[in-house]
Amino acid sequence: MKIDSIAVIGAGVMGSGIAAQIANAGKKVLLLDIVPEGAEDRSIIAQTALKKLLNTKPAALMHKRNAKNITPGNLEDNFNDLATVDWIIEVIVERLDLKQDLYKKIDAIRKPDCIISSNTSTLPLSDLTAGTSKDFSRHFLITHFFNPPRYMRLLEMVVGPDTQPKVVECLSHFCDYKLGKGVVKCHDTPGFIANRIGTYWIQTALLDAIRLKLTVDEADSLAGTPMGVPKTGIFGLMDLVGIDIMPYVLESMVHSLPKHDPFQEQAVIPDIVKKMITDGYIGRKGKGGFYRLSTLNGKKTKESINLITGEYAPHKQTTLESLKPSVKKDLRKLVSFDDKGGQFAWSVLSKTLCYSASLVPEISDNIESIDRAMKLGYNWKYGPFELLDKVGVDWFINKLNDNQQPIPPFLLAARGKTFYSFENEQALSLNLAGEYRPVEKHEGVLTLTDIKQSQRPIKSNSSASLWDIGDGVLCLEFHSKMNSIDPDILALIGSTVEVIPTNYKALVLYNEADNYSVGANIGLALFAANTAAWPQINQMVKSGQDTYKAMKYAPFPVVGAPSGMALGGGCESLLHCDAIQAHAESYLGLVEVGVGLIPSWGGCKELLTRWMLNPKRAKGPMPAISKAFELISTATVSSSAEEAKGHLFMRPTDGITMNRERLLFDAKHKALELVEGYLAPEEAEVSLPGSTARIALNLAVNNFVNTGKATPYDSTVADQLAMVLSGGDTDITELHTEDDLYALERQAFVTLIKNTNTLDRMQHTLETGKPLRN
């Protein structure tokens, strides 16, 4: 079996989002919906959905050209086209009668071995297939995507008793490799895994926050980062998802779950939430939600709602002792703290973890599926059973006993143990019998997390570590704050360049943080500037240039493997690699102008030479110079790895991995492919026009300044960038080496960092995490 052509039936937010991700995978997809009564354009619903996809934020399409892979149509004129596709995904309204009627029509025309799946999250598979043919049920299963489908990595798969193994294998492989999904097999139970636990967790936090009279900000601070939950916390997440869907989700769960299920006690919609929905405060898609933006004295201010009075007010500094850094950084200390914050944290944590443990084996036979579902579907840093190991199983059981709280049998079976163990380079997990079983290894998946279980780093310092990932390949991992590039990272790169030729074959730059690197550590540069240490600043810039140059021209291949943001100095490290194998969700850019600087570790030089040597560029040097100037001066960041290729942050030959879990494996094999016969690249030389190009670029910027679209200081930064890209004091007859361009970058960097405007911008960025905007 293979999947080449796909149809999505239902062009709502979810259906069109699924179609977009299929288009991102380079596959043709037919998007169908009903014909509205009296519509002149009979495919208006699907046509409108396609137009929305082109403007959706965050973008559903990794590149706008991917929209060409989607063909809009309708369920009357184009229904027979379903006979040609390999996979049909049903994403219509959650009504069993409508779905079953549709399935009968599909069964009458579908081709042999066509797979059919439903995106339902509320209807049992056994009900969906009731009355269908035997062959239909053999090719039917549930594929529950999470919204938005491009960014949410979880896909819950529910298989029926009749579903053929080859159908499951084929679709699992496609969703994994092509759509980038973490496929988790679930039992056919209400809410499956992620929403069963996730909705219970949200409801528990909501009701406990009201009961303990906590502010929204306090509750999110307590049940967010300390528990490994994204900083949006509980209330920020509800605003993002939409508060108005809560009643529907709870109603479905109440109806489907047995009366004795603990979820029933939590399925209460507070009066404050009912009023918010009535008044249109349903989250980000409405007038606001638990949080909203208000304009006060001409400035936008973030406000949160009072859960008791329903009134909004700006954030106030909390007086809770439990929110002091010394307490909330230690989860045990936080949930043991004797104030309402500590009581809230314990109540949410204990109820959620106990509920999760009580659902084994109902929702899944193994704990790793449950943990994986919560991490991929709700972006938790740790799954429930990983959290239990983190806080301590015995400690948790004892605290439950002290509070006279019931303890699930599976949790009791883990007394004296951990839920996960590691022996003889094999990860193990606890089963229902209280015994350890091997955690399933997926072919083509390699993680540093597993590698760290069985070895120590070859080299390490406070900001970076070097790991042996097998077959003669080393992996250099950043682990500084936000993976910002600092002297320790540069030092380890430098020493690695010396080590590899004697004992190893290749190097991969990779880490498993949310972001590859946010750029250089500007705090160090700001400190040096405030002490007027100009020679040290010049040397700091040269050190970065020398390190990246040594890496670029080392006698072995170097592959960069980014995921998430790769900005500034992080992007420059990738520009100096022989090749890149990027996760599809990689956002590359040279953003130094945001703090009043320009790229100075070879970023200007690398981007300029790539555009100069691009065989598709227009003739003459100015088109290439103008393009590099545009990308750097506007701090352009690619919205995907695919878009990064268009900007030449990545080469056309660089690879893209859809599934984040497969990135290191793919990068390692790309490096090994380059080993045989490897020759370091030749240094580039370019002819640059000098002052004539600089004047032309500055004229364009001055027009923006004169019309108020740029500030006078923007012009100052742009002038130094123009000086570098035009080649400085030269003419078109001279050849510029890479060292010439490195020198111009250093000159421009020192000139700009002496400016008080730059120092103000750097200080603002350090304090707020955002560049200063005039």
Side-chain angles (χ1 to χ4, degrees):
M1 297 181 73
K2 65 176 184 177
I3 298 174
D4 286 324
S5 56
I6 300 158
V8 176
I9 301 177
V13 172
M14 199 68 199
S16 61
I18 293 170
Q21 185 64 359
I22 293 167
N24 289 332
K27 296 294 182 180
K28 298 295 183 182
V29 55
L30 181 63
L31 181 61
L32 304 181
D33 212 305
I34 62 171
V35 178
E37 187 176 348
E40 291 185 13
D41 181 350
R42 293 170 60 80
S43 300
I44 186 64
I45 295 178
Q47 291 279 14
T48 302
L50 182 55
K51 289 177 182 177
K52 286 182 178 178
L53 286 177
L54 290 166
N55 298 296
T56 299
K57 291 187 178 180
L61 295 165
M62 292 179 180
H63 198 289
K64 288 195 174 184
R65 65 168 171 257
N66 293 344
K68 294 179 181 178
N69 290 330
I70 304 173
T71 301
N74 66 75
L75 281 167
E76 295 180 19
D77 304 328
N78 306 104
F79 191 81
N80 287 336
D81 293 342
L82 296 175
T84 66
V85 303
D86 303 310
W87 177 22
I88 299 170
I89 310 169
E90 171 268 301
V91 200
I92 68 171
V93 65
E94 295 287 78
R95 273 183 53 185
L96 184 60
D97 59 330
L98 295 180
K99 291 178 186 287
Q100 289 181 331
D101 181 58
L102 176 63
Y103 297 162
K104 289 175 183 176
K105 293 176 181 177
I106 291 172
D107 198 17
I109 66 160
R110 69 184 182 87
K111 70 178 184 179
D113 277 345
C114 173
I115 299 170
I116 309 95
S117 72
S118 174
N119 186 62
T120 185
S121 61
T122 60
L123 297 172
L125 184 144
S126 55
D127 290 350
L128 292 172
T129 54
T132 60
S133 71
K134 194 71 173 177
D135 191 63
F136 184 92
S137 63
R138 285 173 181 159
H139 292 84
F140 184 85
L141 65 169
I142 291 173
T143 50
H144 180 222
F145 290 81
F146 277 64
N147 194 34
R150 171 181 166 182
Y151 300 97
M152 298 305 294
R153 293 166 56 197
L154 176 62
L155 185 141
E156 293 178 315
M157 184 174 285
V158 181
V159 177
D162 297 326
T163 312
Q164 292 181 330
K166 67 176 183 178
V167 168
V168 178
E169 182 182 351
C170 175
L171 197 54
S172 296
H173 186 276
F174 183 88
C175 293
D176 177 342
Y177 284 85
K178 298 298 184 182
L179 301 186
K181 298 303 172 189
V183 179
V184 174
K185 306 286 192 346
C186 309
H187 292 170
D188 192 11
T189 57
F192 308 136
I193 295 176
N195 283 342
R196 178 80 171 269
I197 295 172
T199 307
Y200 179 89
W201 162 67
I202 288 172
Q203 278 295 113
T204 298
L206 170 63
L207 298 178
D208 281 344
I210 294 172
R211 174 175 61 85
L212 291 165
K213 297 181 178 173
L214 287 170
T215 69
V216 166
D217 303 88
E218 288 170 340
D220 278 348
S221 295
L222 290 160
T225 306
M227 296 184 192
V229 172
K231 62 182 181 181
T232 51
I234 305 288
F235 293 99
L237 177 61
M238 283 191 277
D239 279 356
L240 181 63
V241 173
I243 299 167
D244 55 324
I245 73 166
M246 288 175 58
Y248 300 101
V249 173
L250 294 181
E251 182 183 358
S252 171
M253 297 295 280
V254 167
H255 175 75
S256 305
L257 292 172
K259 297 301 179 186
H260 65 270
D261 192 285
F263 194 103
Q264 301 284 1
E265 297 177 10
Q266 305 298 91
V268 177
I269 303 175
D271 290 339
I272 181 70
V273 174
K274 292 177 182 177
K275 186 174 188 306
M276 290 171 69
I277 294 172
T278 300
D279 294 344
Y281 286 92
I282 56 174
R284 295 189 186 182
K285 63 185 179 182
K287 296 188 289 186
F290 293 104
Y291 297 99
R292 74 175 185 186
L293 284 176
S294 258
T295 303
L296 190 64
N297 298 325
K299 291 185 177 180
K300 286 189 175 180
T301 305
K302 187 177 181 180
E303 298 180 332
S304 58
I305 198 167
N306 185 305
L307 295 171
I308 307 301
T309 67
E311 297 176 354
Y312 285 91
H315 170 72
K316 289 184 179 179
Q317 192 68 33
T318 181
T319 57
L320 287 177
E321 292 289 318
S322 52
L323 277 173
K324 288 187 174 179
S326 60
V327 176
K328 73 175 188 176
K329 284 184 178 180
D330 185 326
L331 189 54
R332 272 199 197 181
K333 189 181 289 187
L334 171 62
V335 298
S336 301
F337 206 82
D338 192 22
D339 70 357
K340 63 181 182 179
Q343 294 169 36
F344 171 79
W346 169 251
S347 181
V348 173
L349 185 73
S350 62
K351 290 176 184 174
T352 302
L353 297 188
C354 283
Y355 188 56
S356 300
S358 74
L359 294 176
V360 182
E362 180 188 344
I363 60 175
S364 177
D365 294 323
N366 62 79
I367 62 172
E368 56 264 32
S369 290
I370 296 174
D371 280 346
R372 194 158 176 254
M374 296 313 299
K375 289 189 291 185
L376 295 178
Y378 277 76
N379 287 328
W380 288 11
K381 187 175 182 181
Y382 312 101
F385 298 97
E386 291 171 330
L387 262 175
L388 281 164
D389 278 353
K390 183 176 175 62
V391 78
V393 174
D394 286 356
W395 180 90
F396 188 77
I397 291 173
N398 291 336
K399 187 163 176 60
L400 288 172
N401 273 324
D402 291 343
N403 286 276
Q404 298 183 328
Q405 293 175 253
I407 305 172
F410 184 44
L411 185 54
L412 279 175
R415 189 191 286 274
K417 302 175 183 178
T418 55
F419 281 101
Y420 291 96
S421 183
F422 200 89
E423 295 178 14
N424 301 321
E425 300 187 9
Q426 173 66 58
L428 307 170
S429 67
L430 205 65
N431 64 16
L432 282 168
E435 299 170 346
Y436 287 107
R437 54 174 287 279
V439 172
E440 181 184 0
K441 285 187 175 181
H442 298 277
E443 185 181 354
V445 173
L446 178 67
T447 69
L448 281 182
T449 301
D450 287 344
I451 287 167
K452 290 174 184 179
Q453 297 276 8
S454 59
Q455 63 172 263
R456 297 179 63 83
I458 294 171
K459 288 175 172 283
S460 186
N461 58 38
S462 62
S463 298
S465 297
L466 190 64
W467 301 94
D468 185 342
I469 58 175
D471 299 311
V473 181
L474 296 185
C475 174
L476 197 147
E477 172 199 24
F478 306 157
H479 47 69
S480 58
K481 184 177 181 181
M482 299 181 74
N483 287 340
S484 59
I485 312 294
D486 61 16
D488 280 346
I489 289 177
L490 295 176
L492 194 61
I493 293 174
S495 62
T496 300
V497 169
E498 297 173 0
V499 165
I500 288 185
T502 55
N503 298 301
Y504 300 94
K505 300 176 183 176
L507 176 66
V508 171
L509 303 183
Y510 166 88
N511 60 72
E512 288 172 358
D514 290 338
N515 295 304
Y516 172 81
S517 173
V518 297
N521 187 331
I522 62 173
L524 298 175
L526 181 61
F527 177 80
N530 283 328
T531 57
W534 310 124
Q536 287 90 331
I537 288 175
N538 186 74
Q539 183 54 42
M540 187 186 305
V541 176
K542 190 174 188 306
S543 174
Q545 293 177 342
D546 290 346
T547 300
Y548 285 171
K549 184 179 180 183
M551 183 177 73
K552 178 177 179 178
Y553 294 108
F556 54 84
V558 181
V559 173
S563 181
M565 290 188 291
L567 307 178
C571 182
E572 288 176 297
S573 74
L574 298 172
L575 289 170
H576 286 79
C577 291
D578 293 287
I580 293 174
Q581 182 71 36
H583 180 226
E585 299 300 342
S586 293
Y587 317 118
L588 281 64
L590 299 169
V591 297
E592 287 84 350
V593 295
V595 292
L597 296 169
I598 66 167
S600 300
W601 281 345
C604 294
K605 177 261 299 182
E606 284 295 316
L607 195 61
L608 174 64
T609 53
R610 285 190 183 191
W611 279 100
M612 291 288 285
L613 300 175
N614 179 21
K616 295 182 179 180
R617 74 175 174 90
K619 300 216 180 269
M622 278 310 294
I625 293 172
S626 298
K627 189 62 182 179
F629 183 82
E630 174 195 338
L631 291 169
I632 297 171
S633 65
T634 58
T636 297
V637 177
S638 69
S639 64
S640 66
E642 188 176 353
E643 192 176 270
K645 288 189 175 188
H647 298 324
L648 295 191
F649 294 140
M650 290 172 60
R651 301 176 182 87
T653 54
D654 287 334
I656 296 176
T657 298
M658 291 293 282
N659 193 325
R660 178 69 172 80
E661 295 174 330
R662 300 187 177 279
L663 180 58
L664 181 57
F665 180 91
D666 291 350
K668 172 185 170 181
H669 282 269
K670 179 172 278 290
L672 288 171
E673 288 170 2
L674 297 173
V675 168
E676 188 173 352
Y678 177 77
L679 294 173
E682 294 183 4
E683 291 200 36
E685 291 184 334
V686 293
S687 297
L688 298 171
S691 59
T692 55
R694 184 177 184 179
I695 291 169
L697 294 172
N698 282 333
L699 281 173
V701 174
N702 288 336
N703 286 335
F704 284 114
V705 174
N706 292 335
T707 57
K709 296 178 180 178
T711 68
Y713 188 64
D714 291 330
S715 178
T716 300
V717 177
D719 176 61
Q720 289 300 306
L721 176 60
M723 183 272 293
V724 174
L725 296 178
S726 64
D729 186 14
T730 187
D731 62 61
I732 198 70
T733 63
E734 295 183 38
L735 282 176
H736 278 70
T737 66
E738 293 191 10
D739 283 341
D740 292 336
L741 295 174
Y742 275 133
L744 290 172
E745 286 182 352
R746 290 198 303 276
Q747 176 187 329
F749 186 93
V750 174
T751 298
L752 288 169
I753 204 169
K754 288 181 178 181
N755 193 302
T756 55
N757 284 285
T758 297
L759 299 184
D760 289 344
R761 280 162 170 72
M762 293 172 73
Q763 185 66 48
H764 176 86
T765 302
L766 279 175
E767 291 174 355
T768 66
K770 297 178 181 179
L772 182 64
R773 303 289 184 192
N774 285 343

